[in-house]
Coordinates of all heavy atoms in Angstrom, one line a residue:
M616 N 4.2 78.4 -5.1 CA 5.4 79.1 -4.8 C 6.3 78.3 -3.8 O 5.7 77.7 -2.9 CB 5.1 80.5 -4.2 CG 6.3 81.4 -4.1 SD 5.8 83.0 -3.6 CE 7.3 83.7 -3.0
E617 N 7.6 78.2 -4.1 CA 8.4 77.4 -3.3 C 8.7 77.9 -1.9 O 8.9 79.1 -1.8 CB 9.8 77.2 -4.0 CG 10.7 76.2 -3.4 CD 12.0 76.1 -4.2 OE1 12.1 76.5 -5.3 OE2 13.0 75.6 -3.6
D618 N 8.6 77.1 -0.9 CA 8.9 77.5 0.5 C 10.4 77.6 0.7 O 11.1 76.6 0.6 CB 8.3 76.5 1.4 CG 8.4 76.9 2.9 OD1 9.0 78.0 3.1 OD2 8.0 76.2 3.8
T619 N 10.9 78.8 0.9 CA 12.3 79.0 1.0 C 12.8 79.1 2.5 O 14.0 79.4 2.7 CB 12.8 80.3 0.3 OG1 12.0 81.4 0.8 CG2 12.6 80.2 -1.2
K620 N 11.9 78.9 3.4 CA 12.3 79.0 4.8 C 13.2 77.8 5.2 O 13.0 76.7 4.8 CB 11.0 78.9 5.7 CG 10.2 80.2 5.7 CD 9.1 80.1 6.6 CE 8.0 81.1 6.3 NZ 6.7 80.8 6.9
V621 N 14.2 78.1 6.0 CA 15.1 77.1 6.5 C 14.6 76.6 7.8 O 14.4 77.4 8.7 CB 16.5 77.6 6.6 CG1 17.4 76.6 7.2 CG2 17.0 78.2 5.3
K622 N 14.3 75.3 7.9 CA 13.9 74.8 9.2 C 15.1 74.4 10.1 O 16.0 73.8 9.6 CB 13.0 73.6 8.9 CG 11.7 74.0 8.3 CD 10.7 72.9 8.2 CE 9.4 73.5 7.6 NZ 8.7 72.5 6.8
V623 N 15.0 74.9 11.3 CA 16.1 74.6 12.2 C 15.7 73.7 13.3 O 14.6 74.0 14.0 CB 16.7 76.0 12.8 CG1 17.7 75.7 13.9 CG2 17.2 76.9 11.7
N624 N 16.4 72.6 13.6 CA 16.1 71.8 14.7 C 17.0 72.1 15.8 O 18.2 72.1 15.7 CB 16.3 70.3 14.2 CG 16.0 69.3 15.3 OD1 16.2 69.6 16.5 ND2 15.5 68.2 15.0
I625 N 16.4 72.6 16.9 CA 17.2 73.1 18.0 C 18.1 72.0 18.7 O 19.2 72.3 19.1 CB 16.3 73.8 19.1 CG1 17.2 74.6 20.1 CG2 15.5 72.8 19.9 CD1 16.5 75.6 20.8
D626 N 17.6 70.8 18.6 CA 18.4 69.7 19.2 C 19.7 69.5 18.4 O 20.8 69.3 18.9 CB 17.6 68.4 19.2 CG 16.6 68.4 20.3 OD1 16.8 69.2 21.3 OD2 15.5 67.8 20.2
D627 N 19.6 69.7 17.0 CA 20.8 69.6 16.2 C 21.8 70.7 16.5 O 23.0 70.5 16.5 CB 20.4 69.7 14.7 CG 19.7 68.5 14.2 OD1 19.7 67.4 14.9 OD2 19.0 68.5 13.2
K628 N 21.3 71.9 16.8 CA 22.2 73.0 17.2 C 22.8 72.8 18.5 O 24.0 73.1 18.7 CB 21.4 74.4 17.1 CG 20.9 74.8 15.8 CD 22.1 75.1 14.9 CE 21.6 75.5 13.5 NZ 22.8 75.7 12.6
L629 N 22.0 72.4 19.5 CA 22.5 72.2 20.8 C 23.6 71.1 20.8 O 24.6 71.2 21.6 CB 21.4 71.7 21.8 CG 20.4 72.8 22.1 CD1 19.2 72.2 23.0 CD2 21.0 74.0 22.9
Y630 N 23.5 70.2 19.9 CA 24.5 69.1 19.9 C 25.9 69.6 19.5 O 26.9 69.0 19.9 CB 24.0 68.1 18.8 CG 24.8 66.9 18.7 CD1 24.9 65.9 19.7 CD2 25.6 66.7 17.5 CE1 25.6 64.8 19.5 CE2 26.4 65.5 17.4 CZ 26.4 64.6 18.4 OH 27.2 63.5 18.3
L631 N 25.9 70.8 18.8 CA 27.2 71.3 18.4 C 28.0 71.9 19.6 O 29.2 72.1 19.5 CB 27.0 72.4 17.4 CG 26.4 72.0 16.1 CD1 26.0 73.2 15.2 CD2 27.3 71.0 15.3
N632 N 27.3 72.3 20.7 CA 27.9 73.0 21.8 C 28.8 72.1 22.6 O 28.5 70.9 22.7 CB 26.9 73.7 22.7 CG 26.1 74.7 21.9 OD1 26.6 75.4 21.1 ND2 24.8 74.7 22.2
T633 N 29.8 72.6 23.3 CA 30.6 71.9 24.2 C 30.5 72.6 25.6 O 30.2 73.8 25.6 CB 32.0 71.7 23.8 OG1 32.6 73.0 23.7 CG2 32.2 71.0 22.5
Y634 N 30.7 71.8 26.6 CA 30.5 72.4 28.0 C 31.7 72.0 28.8 O 32.2 70.9 28.8 CB 29.2 71.8 28.6 CG 28.0 72.0 27.9 CD1 27.6 71.2 26.8 CD2 27.1 73.1 28.2 CE1 26.4 71.5 26.1 CE2 25.9 73.3 27.5 CZ 25.6 72.5 26.5 OH 24.4 72.7 25.8
N635 N 32.2 72.9 29.6 CA 33.1 72.6 30.6 C 32.3 72.8 32.0 O 32.2 73.9 32.5 CB 34.3 73.6 30.6 CG 35.4 73.2 31.6 OD1 35.4 72.1 32.1 ND2 36.3 74.1 31.9
V636 N 31.8 71.7 32.4 CA 30.9 71.7 33.5 C 31.6 71.9 34.9 O 32.5 71.2 35.2 CB 30.1 70.4 33.6 CG1 29.1 70.3 34.8 CG2 29.3 70.2 32.3
D637 N 31.1 72.9 35.6 CA 31.6 73.2 36.9 C 30.9 72.2 37.9 O 29.8 71.7 37.7 CB 31.2 74.6 37.3 CG 32.0 75.2 38.4 OD1 32.7 74.4 39.1 OD2 31.9 76.4 38.7
T638 N 31.6 71.9 39.0 CA 31.0 71.1 40.0 C 30.0 71.9 40.9 O 29.2 71.3 41.6 CB 32.1 70.5 41.0 OG1 32.9 71.6 41.4 CG2 33.0 69.5 40.2
L639 N 30.2 73.2 40.9 CA 29.3 74.1 41.6 C 28.2 74.6 40.7 O 28.5 75.2 39.6 CB 30.0 75.3 42.2 CG 31.1 75.0 43.2 CD1 31.9 76.3 43.5 CD2 30.5 74.4 44.4
P640 N 26.9 74.4 41.0 CA 25.8 74.9 40.1 C 25.8 76.5 40.2 O 26.0 77.1 41.2 CB 24.5 74.3 40.8 CG 24.9 73.9 42.1 CD 26.4 73.7 42.2
H641 N 25.5 77.0 39.0 CA 25.4 78.5 38.9 C 23.9 78.9 39.0 O 23.6 80.1 38.9 CB 26.0 79.1 37.7 CG 25.4 78.6 36.4 ND1 25.6 77.3 35.9 CD2 24.7 79.2 35.5 CE1 25.0 77.1 34.8 NE2 24.4 78.3 34.5
L642 N 23.0 77.9 39.0 CA 21.5 78.2 39.0 C 21.0 77.4 40.2 O 21.4 76.3 40.5 CB 20.8 77.6 37.8 CG 21.4 78.1 36.4 CD1 20.7 77.2 35.3 CD2 21.1 79.6 36.2
A643 N 20.0 78.0 40.9 CA 19.3 77.3 42.0 C 17.9 77.9 42.2 O 17.7 79.0 41.9 CB 20.1 77.5 43.3
I644 N 17.1 77.0 42.7 CA 15.7 77.5 43.1 C 15.9 78.1 44.5 O 16.4 77.5 45.4 CB 14.7 76.3 43.1 CG1 14.6 75.6 41.7 CG2 13.4 76.7 43.6 CD1 14.0 76.5 40.7
K645 N 15.3 79.3 44.6 CA 15.5 79.9 45.9 C 14.6 79.2 47.0 O 15.0 79.0 48.1 CB 15.0 81.4 45.8 CG 16.0 82.3 45.0 CD 15.4 83.7 44.9 CE 16.3 84.6 44.0 NZ 15.7 85.9 43.8
D646 N 13.4 78.9 46.6 CA 12.4 78.3 47.6 C 11.5 77.4 46.9 O 10.6 77.8 46.1 CB 11.6 79.5 48.3 CG 10.7 79.0 49.4 OD1 10.6 77.7 49.5 OD2 10.2 79.8 50.1
Q647 N 11.7 76.1 47.1 CA 10.9 75.1 46.5 C 9.4 75.2 46.9 O 8.5 74.8 46.1 CB 11.4 73.7 46.8 CG 12.7 73.3 46.1 CD 12.4 72.9 44.6 OE1 11.3 72.7 44.1 NE2 13.5 72.7 43.9
K648 N 9.1 75.7 48.0 CA 7.7 75.9 48.4 C 7.0 76.8 47.5 O 5.8 76.7 47.2 CB 7.6 76.4 49.9 CG 8.0 75.4 50.9 CD 7.5 75.8 52.3 CE 7.9 74.9 53.4 NZ 8.3 73.5 53.1
I649 N 7.7 77.8 47.0 CA 7.0 78.8 46.0 C 6.7 78.0 44.7 O 5.7 78.2 44.1 CB 7.9 80.0 45.8 CG1 8.1 80.8 47.1 CG2 7.4 80.8 44.6 CD1 9.0 82.0 47.0
C650 N 7.6 77.1 44.3 CA 7.4 76.3 43.1 C 6.1 75.4 43.3 O 5.4 75.2 42.3 CB 8.6 75.5 42.8 SG 10.0 76.4 42.4
E651 N 5.9 74.9 44.4 CA 4.8 74.0 44.7 C 3.5 74.8 44.4 O 2.5 74.2 43.9 CB 4.8 73.6 46.1 CG 5.8 72.5 46.4 CD 5.9 72.2 47.9 OE1 4.9 72.4 48.7 OE2 7.0 71.7 48.4
T652 N 3.4 76.1 44.7 CA 2.2 76.8 44.5 C 2.2 77.6 43.2 O 1.2 78.2 42.9 CB 2.0 77.8 45.7 OG1 3.1 78.7 45.7 CG2 1.8 77.1 47.0
C653 N 3.3 77.5 42.5 CA 3.4 78.3 41.2 C 2.5 77.6 40.1 O 2.7 76.4 39.8 CB 4.8 78.3 40.7 SG 5.1 78.9 39.1
K654 N 1.5 78.3 39.6 CA 0.6 77.7 38.7 C 1.2 77.6 37.3 O 1.0 76.6 36.5 CB -0.7 78.5 38.6 CG -1.5 78.4 39.8 CD -2.9 79.0 39.5 CE -3.8 78.9 40.8 NZ -4.1 80.2 41.4
E655 N 2.0 78.6 36.9 CA 2.6 78.6 35.5 C 3.7 77.6 35.3 O 3.8 77.1 34.2 CB 3.1 80.1 35.2 CG 2.1 81.2 35.5 CD 2.1 81.6 37.0 OE1 3.0 81.3 37.7 OE2 1.1 82.3 37.4
K656 N 4.6 77.5 36.2 CA 5.8 76.7 36.1 C 6.5 77.0 34.7 O 6.9 76.1 33.9 CB 5.5 75.2 36.2 CG 5.0 74.9 37.6 CD 5.0 73.4 37.9 CE 4.6 73.1 39.4 NZ 3.6 74.0 40.0
T657 N 6.6 78.3 34.5 CA 7.2 78.8 33.2 C 8.6 78.2 33.0 O 8.9 77.9 31.8 CB 7.3 80.3 33.3 OG1 6.0 80.8 33.8 CG2 7.5 80.9 31.9
C658 N 9.3 78.0 34.0 CA 10.7 77.5 33.8 C 10.8 76.2 33.1 O 11.7 75.9 32.4 CB 11.4 77.4 35.2 SG 10.6 76.3 36.3
T659 N 9.7 75.4 33.2 CA 9.7 74.0 32.7 C 9.5 74.0 31.2 O 9.7 73.0 30.5 CB 8.7 73.1 33.4 OG1 7.4 73.7 33.1 CG2 9.0 73.0 34.8
F660 N 9.1 75.2 30.6 CA 8.9 75.2 29.1 C 9.6 76.3 28.4 O 9.7 76.3 27.2 CB 7.4 75.1 28.8 CG 6.6 76.3 29.3 CD1 6.5 77.5 28.6 CD2 5.8 76.1 30.5 CE1 5.7 78.5 29.1 CE2 5.0 77.1 31.0 CZ 5.0 78.3 30.3
I661 N 10.1 77.4 29.2 CA 10.7 78.5 28.5 C 12.2 78.2 28.2 O 12.7 78.8 27.3 CB 10.6 79.8 29.4 CG1 10.9 81.0 28.6 CG2 11.6 79.7 30.6 CD1 9.7 81.5 27.9
C662 N 12.8 77.3 28.9 CA 14.2 77.0 28.7 C 14.5 76.2 27.5 O 14.0 75.1 27.4 CB 14.7 76.3 30.0 SG 16.5 75.8 29.8
P663 N 15.3 76.7 26.6 CA 15.5 75.9 25.3 C 16.4 74.7 25.6 O 16.4 73.8 24.7 CB 16.3 76.9 24.4 CG 16.9 77.9 25.4 CD 15.9 78.0 26.6
A664 N 17.0 74.6 26.7 CA 17.9 73.4 27.0 C 17.2 72.5 28.0 O 17.8 71.5 28.4 CB 19.2 73.9 27.6
R665 N 16.0 72.8 28.3 CA 15.2 71.9 29.2 C 15.9 71.6 30.5 O 16.0 70.5 31.0 CB 14.8 70.6 28.5 CG 14.0 70.8 27.2 CD 13.6 69.5 26.7 NE 13.2 69.6 25.3 CZ 13.9 69.2 24.2 NH1 15.1 68.6 24.4 NH2 13.5 69.4 23.0
V666 N 16.4 72.7 31.1 CA 17.2 72.6 32.4 C 16.3 72.3 33.5 O 16.6 71.5 34.5 CB 18.0 73.9 32.6 CG1 18.4 74.0 34.1 CG2 19.2 74.0 31.7
Y667 N 15.0 72.8 33.5 CA 14.1 72.7 34.7 C 13.1 71.6 34.4 O 12.5 71.6 33.3 CB 13.4 74.0 35.0 CG 14.4 75.1 35.3 CD1 14.8 76.0 34.3 CD2 14.9 75.3 36.5 CE1 15.7 77.0 34.5 CE2 15.8 76.3 36.8 CZ 16.2 77.2 35.8 OH 17.0 78.2 36.0
E668 N 12.8 70.8 35.4 CA 11.8 69.8 35.2 C 11.0 69.7 36.5 O 11.6 69.7 37.6 CB 12.5 68.4 35.0 CG 11.6 67.4 34.5 CD 12.3 66.1 34.1 OE1 13.6 66.1 34.1 OE2 11.7 65.0 34.0
W669 N 9.7 69.6 36.4 CA 8.9 69.4 37.5 C 8.7 67.9 37.7 O 8.2 67.1 36.9 CB 7.5 70.0 37.2 CG 6.5 69.8 38.4 CD1 5.4 68.9 38.3 CD2 6.5 70.4 39.7 NE1 4.7 69.0 39.5 CE2 5.4 69.9 40.4 CE3 7.4 71.3 40.3 CZ2 5.1 70.2 41.7 CZ3 7.1 71.6 41.6 CH2 6.0 71.1 42.3
K670 N 9.3 67.4 38.9 CA 9.4 66.0 39.1 C 9.2 65.7 40.6 O 9.8 66.3 41.4 CB 10.8 65.5 38.7 CG 10.9 64.0 38.4 CD 12.3 63.8 37.8 CE 12.5 62.3 37.6 NZ 13.8 62.1 37.1
D671 N 8.3 64.8 40.9 CA 8.0 64.3 42.3 C 7.8 65.5 43.2 O 8.3 65.5 44.3 CB 9.2 63.5 42.8 CG 9.4 62.2 41.9 OD1 8.4 61.7 41.4 OD2 10.6 61.8 41.8
G672 N 7.1 66.5 42.7 CA 6.6 67.6 43.6 C 7.6 68.7 43.8 O 7.5 69.5 44.7
H673 N 8.7 68.7 43.0 CA 9.6 69.8 43.1 C 10.3 70.0 41.7 O 10.2 69.2 40.9 CB 10.7 69.6 44.2 CG 11.6 68.5 44.0 ND1 11.3 67.2 44.3 CD2 12.8 68.5 43.5 CE1 12.3 66.4 44.0 NE2 13.3 67.1 43.5
V674 N 11.0 71.2 41.6 CA 11.7 71.5 40.4 C 13.1 71.0 40.5 O 13.9 71.4 41.4 CB 11.6 73.0 40.1 CG1 12.5 73.4 38.9 CG2 10.2 73.5 39.9
T675 N 13.5 70.2 39.5 CA 15.0 69.9 39.4 C 15.7 70.8 38.4 O 15.0 71.4 37.5 CB 15.1 68.4 38.9 OG1 14.6 68.3 37.6 CG2 14.4 67.4 39.8
V676 N 17.0 71.0 38.7 CA 17.7 72.0 37.9 C 19.0 71.3 37.3 O 19.9 71.0 38.0 CB 18.2 73.2 38.8 CG1 18.9 74.2 37.9 CG2 17.0 73.8 39.5
G677 N 18.9 71.0 36.0 CA 20.1 70.3 35.4 C 21.0 71.4 34.8 O 21.0 71.6 33.6
Y678 N 21.6 72.1 35.7 CA 22.4 73.3 35.3 C 23.5 73.0 34.3 O 24.0 73.9 33.6 CB 23.0 73.9 36.6 CG 24.2 73.2 37.2 CD1 25.5 73.4 36.8 CD2 24.0 72.1 38.1 CE1 26.6 72.7 37.3 CE2 25.0 71.4 38.6 CZ 26.3 71.7 38.2 OH 27.4 71.0 38.7
E679 N 23.9 71.8 34.2 CA 25.0 71.4 33.3 C 24.7 71.7 31.9 O 25.7 72.0 31.1 CB 25.3 69.9 33.4 CG 25.7 69.4 34.8 CD 24.5 69.0 35.7 OE1 23.4 69.4 35.4 OE2 24.7 68.3 36.7
G680 N 23.5 71.8 31.5 CA 23.1 72.0 30.1 C 22.7 73.5 29.8 O 22.3 73.8 28.7
C681 N 22.9 74.3 30.7 CA 22.5 75.7 30.6 C 23.2 76.5 29.5 O 24.4 76.4 29.3 CB 22.7 76.4 31.9 SG 22.3 78.2 31.9
L682 N 22.5 77.2 28.7 CA 23.0 78.0 27.6 C 23.3 79.5 28.0 O 23.8 80.3 27.2 CB 22.0 78.1 26.4 CG 21.5 76.7 25.9 CD1 20.4 76.9 24.9 CD2 22.6 75.9 25.4
E683 N 23.0 79.8 29.3 CA 23.3 81.1 29.8 C 22.6 82.2 29.1 O 23.1 83.3 28.9 CB 24.8 81.4 29.9 CG 25.5 80.4 30.8 CD 27.0 80.6 30.9 OE1 27.5 81.7 30.9 OE2 27.7 79.5 30.9
C684 N 21.4 81.9 28.6 CA 20.6 82.9 27.8 C 19.9 83.9 28.7 O 19.5 85.0 28.3 CB 19.6 82.2 26.9 SG 18.3 81.4 27.8
G685 N 19.6 83.5 29.9 CA 18.9 84.4 30.9 C 17.4 84.4 30.8 O 16.7 85.1 31.6
A686 N 16.8 83.6 30.0 CA 15.3 83.6 29.8 C 14.6 83.2 31.1 O 13.6 83.8 31.4 CB 15.0 82.6 28.7
C687 N 15.1 82.2 31.8 CA 14.4 81.7 33.0 C 14.4 82.8 34.1 O 13.5 82.9 34.8 CB 15.1 80.4 33.5 SG 16.8 80.6 33.9
R688 N 15.5 83.5 34.1 CA 15.6 84.6 35.1 C 14.5 85.6 34.9 O 13.9 86.1 35.9 CB 16.9 85.3 35.0 CG 17.2 86.4 35.9 CD 18.6 87.0 35.5 NE 19.1 87.7 36.7 CZ 20.3 88.2 36.7 NH1 21.1 88.1 35.6 NH2 20.8 88.8 37.7
I689 N 14.2 85.9 33.7 CA 13.1 86.9 33.4 C 11.7 86.3 33.5 O 10.8 86.9 34.0 CB 13.3 87.5 32.0 CG1 14.7 88.2 31.9 CG2 12.2 88.4 31.6 CD1 15.2 88.5 30.5
A690 N 11.7 85.0 33.1 CA 10.3 84.4 32.9 C 9.7 83.9 34.2 O 8.5 83.9 34.3 CB 10.5 83.2 32.0
C691 N 10.5 83.6 35.2 CA 9.9 83.2 36.5 C 9.2 84.4 37.2 O 9.9 85.3 37.6 CB 11.0 82.6 37.4 SG 10.3 82.3 39.1
S692 N 7.9 84.4 37.2 CA 7.2 85.6 37.7 C 7.3 85.7 39.2 O 6.8 86.7 39.7 CB 5.7 85.5 37.2 OG 5.2 84.2 37.6
H693 N 7.9 84.7 39.8 CA 8.0 84.8 41.3 C 9.4 85.1 41.7 O 9.8 85.1 42.9 CB 7.6 83.4 41.9 CG 6.2 83.0 41.6 ND1 5.1 83.5 42.2 CD2 5.7 82.2 40.6 CE1 4.0 83.0 41.7 NE2 4.4 82.2 40.7
D694 N 10.3 85.5 40.8 CA 11.7 85.8 41.0 C 12.3 84.8 42.0 O 12.9 85.1 43.0 CB 11.8 87.2 41.7 CG 13.2 87.7 41.8 OD1 14.1 87.2 41.1 OD2 13.5 88.5 42.8
N695 N 12.1 83.5 41.6 CA 12.5 82.4 42.5 C 13.7 81.6 42.0 O 14.0 80.5 42.4 CB 11.3 81.5 42.6 CG 11.4 80.5 43.8 OD1 12.1 80.9 44.8 ND2 10.8 79.4 43.7
I696 N 14.4 82.2 41.0 CA 15.6 81.5 40.5 C 16.8 82.4 40.9 O 16.9 83.5 40.5 CB 15.5 81.3 39.0 CG1 14.4 80.4 38.7 CG2 16.9 80.7 38.5 CD1 14.1 80.2 37.2
D697 N 17.8 81.7 41.6 CA 19.0 82.4 41.9 C 19.9 82.1 40.7 O 20.5 81.0 40.5 CB 19.6 81.7 43.2 CG 20.9 82.4 43.6 OD1 21.2 83.5 43.0 OD2 21.6 81.8 44.4
W698 N 20.0 83.2 39.9 CA 20.7 83.0 38.6 C 22.1 83.7 38.6 O 22.2 84.9 39.0 CB 19.8 83.7 37.5 CG 20.1 83.3 36.1 CD1 19.5 82.4 35.3 CD2 21.2 83.9 35.3 NE1 20.1 82.4 34.1 CE2 21.1 83.3 34.0 CE3 22.1 84.9 35.5 CZ2 22.0 83.6 33.0 CZ3 23.0 85.2 34.4 CH2 22.9 84.5 33.2
N699 N 23.1 83.0 38.1 CA 24.4 83.6 38.1 C 25.1 83.1 36.8 O 24.7 82.1 36.3 CB 25.3 83.1 39.2 CG 24.7 83.5 40.6 OD1 24.7 84.6 41.0 ND2 24.0 82.5 41.2
F700 N 26.0 83.9 36.3 CA 26.9 83.4 35.2 C 27.8 82.3 35.8 O 28.0 82.2 37.0 CB 27.7 84.5 34.6 CG 27.0 85.4 33.7 CD1 26.7 86.7 34.1 CD2 26.5 84.9 32.5 CE1 26.0 87.6 33.2 CE2 25.8 85.8 31.6 CZ 25.6 87.1 32.0
T701 N 28.2 81.4 34.9 CA 29.2 80.4 35.4 C 30.5 81.1 35.8 O 30.8 82.2 35.4 CB 29.5 79.4 34.3 OG1 29.9 80.1 33.1 CG2 28.2 78.6 33.9
R702 N 31.3 80.4 36.6 CA 32.6 80.9 36.9 C 33.5 80.9 35.6 O 33.2 80.1 34.7 CB 33.3 80.0 38.0 CG 32.5 80.0 39.3 CD 33.4 79.4 40.4 NE 33.6 77.9 40.1 CZ 34.5 77.2 40.8 NH1 35.3 77.8 41.6 NH2 34.7 75.9 40.5
G703 N 34.5 81.8 35.7 CA 35.4 81.9 34.5 C 35.9 80.6 34.1 O 36.4 79.8 34.9
G704 N 35.9 80.3 32.8 CA 36.4 79.0 32.3 C 35.4 77.9 32.3 O 35.7 76.8 31.7
F705 N 34.3 78.1 32.9 CA 33.3 77.0 32.9 C 32.1 77.4 32.1 O 31.9 78.5 31.7 CB 32.8 76.7 34.4 CG 33.9 76.1 35.2 CD1 34.7 76.9 36.1 CD2 34.2 74.8 35.1 CE1 35.7 76.3 36.9 CE2 35.2 74.2 35.9 CZ 35.9 75.0 36.8
G706 N 31.2 76.4 31.8 CA 30.0 76.6 31.2 C 30.0 76.3 29.7 O 30.9 75.5 29.2
I707 N 29.1 76.9 28.9 CA 29.0 76.5 27.5 C 30.0 77.2 26.6 O 30.4 78.3 26.9 CB 27.5 76.9 27.1 CG1 27.3 76.3 25.7 CG2 27.3 78.4 27.1 CD1 25.9 76.3 25.3
Q708 N 30.4 76.5 25.6 CA 31.2 77.1 24.5 C 30.4 76.8 23.3 O 30.1 75.7 22.9 CB 32.5 76.4 24.4 CG 33.4 76.6 25.6 CD 34.7 75.8 25.6 OE1 34.7 74.7 25.0 NE2 35.7 76.3 26.2
F709 N 29.9 78.0 22.7 CA 29.1 77.9 21.5 C 29.9 77.6 20.2 O 31.0 78.1 20.0 CB 28.3 79.2 21.3 CG 27.2 79.4 22.3 CD1 27.5 80.3 23.4 CD2 26.0 78.8 22.2 CE1 26.5 80.5 24.3 CE2 25.0 79.0 23.1 CZ 25.3 79.8 24.2
R710 N 29.3 76.7 19.4 CA 29.9 76.4 18.1 C 28.9 76.8 17.1 O 27.8 76.4 17.1 CB 30.2 74.9 18.0 CG 31.2 74.4 19.0 CD 32.6 74.7 18.6 NE 33.6 74.6 19.7 CZ 34.1 73.4 20.0 NH1 33.8 72.3 19.3 NH2 35.0 73.4 21.0
L711 N 29.3 77.6 16.1 CA 28.4 78.1 15.1 C 28.5 77.1 13.8 O 29.6 76.7 13.5 CB 28.8 79.5 14.6 CG 28.7 80.5 15.8 CD1 29.1 81.9 15.3 CD2 27.3 80.6 16.4
A712 N 27.4 76.8 13.3 CA 27.4 76.0 12.1 C 26.1 76.3 11.3 O 25.1 76.8 11.8 CB 27.4 74.5 12.4
Ligands
SF4_1769 S1 8.5 79.5 37.3 FE1 9.7 80.0 39.1 S2 8.3 79.7 40.9 FE2 7.4 78.7 39.0 S3 8.1 76.6 39.2 FE3 9.6 77.7 37.9 S4 11.2 78.4 39.4 FE4 9.4 77.8 40.6
SF4_1770 S1 19.7 80.7 31.3 FE1 18.6 79.9 29.5 S2 19.4 77.9 29.1 FE2 20.1 78.5 31.2 S3 18.5 77.6 32.5 FE3 17.8 79.7 32.1 S4 16.5 79.5 30.2 FE4 17.7 77.6 30.4

């Protein structure tokens, strides 16, 4: 039987989006010391845009690529992400294709 599933490459979809990047970050780690002891580091794999990276003993936040999906806000079991929407006129503009 023929496989009719459509395979979607998320990188191809992300490439369609455009961003009006703010100079002020709308995401921040509240306390890096908590990240140091966080065993799960869920933020580093839950984010579809790979905004968070564990590097040199702390979490970096590449807020410029954020899709504003809110997943990291829910997924951090330590409530350690200061999460806000972008200011009006800034952030992602989704393109459907
Ligand atoms: S999941 Fe939360 S506490 Fe853990 S590394 Fe990420 S931001 Fe830090
Ligand atoms: S809101 Fe979504 S895209 Fe933005 S950093 Fe969190 S998980 Fe990543």
